[in-house]
Amino acid sequence: MKTTHKYLLIAGLITLAGSAQARDLGPDEALKLRDSGTIQSFEKLNELALAQHPGGVIRDTELENALGRYIYQLEVVDAQGIEWDLELDATNGQILKNHQDD
């Protein structure tokens, strides 16, 4: 096998492995997790995220299961118009990531 083909194969396998590690959850599944108490309420998670950027507005949210851990992802635009990407542990509200959007 040519070296170029080996590198392409390896890159493809890495991409597949990465995508298999995280799975977006649909609204029905997310509500079941909330109702069962497995994850915090979305209102509470939103509150925690907005406390990081007072006066901010949430533009987008997503819940995913990453290697058995529920991660709540948000995009927040602060009062100055700067976009922030946040990730919270959906089970306890811990801020895992809070950085300016690239």
Side-chain angles (χ1 to χ4, degrees), residues 64-78:
E64 71 176 24
N65 184 335
L67 298 174
R69 188 175 192 184
Y70 295 108
I71 307 295
Y72 189 58
Q73 301 173 333
L74 301 97
E75 183 179 295
V76 173
V77 178
D78 69 15

Side-chain angles (χ1 to χ4, degrees), residues 15-77:
T15 301
L16 284 175
S19 64
Q21 293 176 0
R23 178 177 68 87
D24 292 341
L25 304 178
D28 291 339
E29 191 172 2
L31 291 174
K32 285 180 187 175
L33 290 167
R34 182 204 60 193
D35 292 346
S36 71
T38 302
I39 64 172
Q40 300 283 314
S41 73
F42 300 109
E43 293 81 8
K44 176 71 174 170
L45 294 169
N46 290 343
E47 230 175 74
L48 292 168
L50 289 174
Q52 301 296 307
H53 302 283
V57 177
I58 296 172
R59 274 211 185 146
D60 193 24
T61 63
E62 187 175 294
L63 180 66
E64 71 176 24
N65 184 335
L67 298 174
R69 188 175 192 184
Y70 295 108
I71 307 295
Y72 189 58
Q73 301 173 333
L74 301 97
E75 183 179 295
V76 173
V77 178

